[in-house]
Every structure is written in structure tokens, then in C-alpha cells.
Amino acid sequence: MNIKIDDLNWKILECLQENARVSFADIGRKIGLTPPAVAERVKKMEDLEILEGYSAKVSHAKTGYQLKAIITLRAFMGKLKPFLVTVTGFEEVVNCYRITGNENIVMEVVLKDQFHLEKFIDQLIQYGETRTHIILSNVVSNAPIAKRSG
């Protein structure tokens, strides 16, 4: 379903992506609407599921997780569905995607140290072949979705 988003809604989305805690009054001042008009537009975008939610960005390093990694999984025959059920229970997994290509799964994980990584991989290998990529730094993180040109 392709929903038409007007220029004012795009401006609201830009503000919220920059800071989800910004007040409707601040948004209104920036884009020329009253706070109730901003609130009405935000509510409509929530109802249409254009806005899927709000969240806090938490530092993995400052909460005791020294490693961040991308792990891909190439599931063994008959093991993908059981894995999809199990993965939601792994506290290490912060994002998980089912993908096309040789691997079936890409996970972003946070881990306390290399010993934690080893134990986590030991849990995964019953489901398939894994590849691990340690993240050294973020180059682009949660970039805002911009209005398409054209």
C-alpha cells in the first residue's frame, strides 16, 4: 500500500526522527502549525502505521556489552523454522532479519566479551552455519528516512 505523505507530514517526520521527544509545540513553531494540528497529524500517521513507535537509543558499551557483532546464519535443512521461533528469546539479539542469498538470517548482537560470543555461537550452530563479523564502529546508524524526490 502506497500512502501519500504531504510536505507538512514529512517535516513532522523529520523532526521526530531527529528527536522523538520533541514537543508538538516545538514542531509546530518550526513548521508553522498549531500544537493540536501537529498532534492530529502524528496520531493519523500512527494509525496508518507510518510511525511505528518511539524508542530510546542505549549505549551497548556503557551497559556492559563490550562487543557488537553481525552474525549471519545459513540454516540447515529443516532448521530455519525452529530457529525463527527460538531467536526471539535470545537476549543478545538486538535486530534479526530474514534475507535472500546464501545465508538465511542476519543478526545484530551485543555481547559481554569473546567468551560470551563463543557461548552464543555454540547455541546457534545447532541451527546452521554461522559467520561472525565484529563491529569496530558505526559509520551510519539509524539514518532518517527522507522524502523521496520526484
Side-chain angles (χ1 to χ4, degrees), residues 12-29:
I12 292 169
L13 290 172
E14 288 168 4
C15 291
L16 290 172
Q17 287 179 96
E18 186 178 308
N19 176 6
R21 293 176 54 128
V22 67
S23 72
F24 294 154
D26 287 343
I27 294 172
R29 276 190 291 279

Side-chain angles (χ1 to χ4, degrees), residues 71 73 76 79 82-83 86-87 89-93 107 109-111 115-130:
I71 299 177
L73 176 82
F76 296 140
K79 293 290 187 172
F83 173 79
T86 305
V87 70
F90 291 139
E91 66 181 30
E92 295 88 352
V93 178
M107 292 172 279
V109 300
V110 291
L111 306 139
F115 304 109
H116 188 183
L117 173 61
E118 182 179 21
K119 286 180 186 174
F120 184 64
I121 290 172
D122 287 346
Q123 290 179 283
L124 296 177
I125 58 176
Q126 65 182 305
Y127 297 102
E129 223 176 275
T130 65

Side-chain angles (χ1 to χ4, degrees), residues 68-76 83 95 99-109 111 117 120-122 124-135:
K68 196 172 192 183
I70 299 294
I71 299 177
T72 60
L73 176 82
R74 183 176 182 199
F76 296 140
F83 173 79
N95 287 300
I99 60 168
T100 61
N102 288 331
E103 286 89 8
N104 308 94
I105 298 292
V106 173
M107 292 172 279
E108 181 181 351
V109 300
L111 306 139
L117 173 61
F120 184 64
I121 290 172
D122 287 346
L124 296 177
I125 58 176
Q126 65 182 305
Y127 297 102
E129 223 176 275
T130 65
R131 284 193 183 160
T132 302
H133 309 273
I134 302 296
I135 296 173

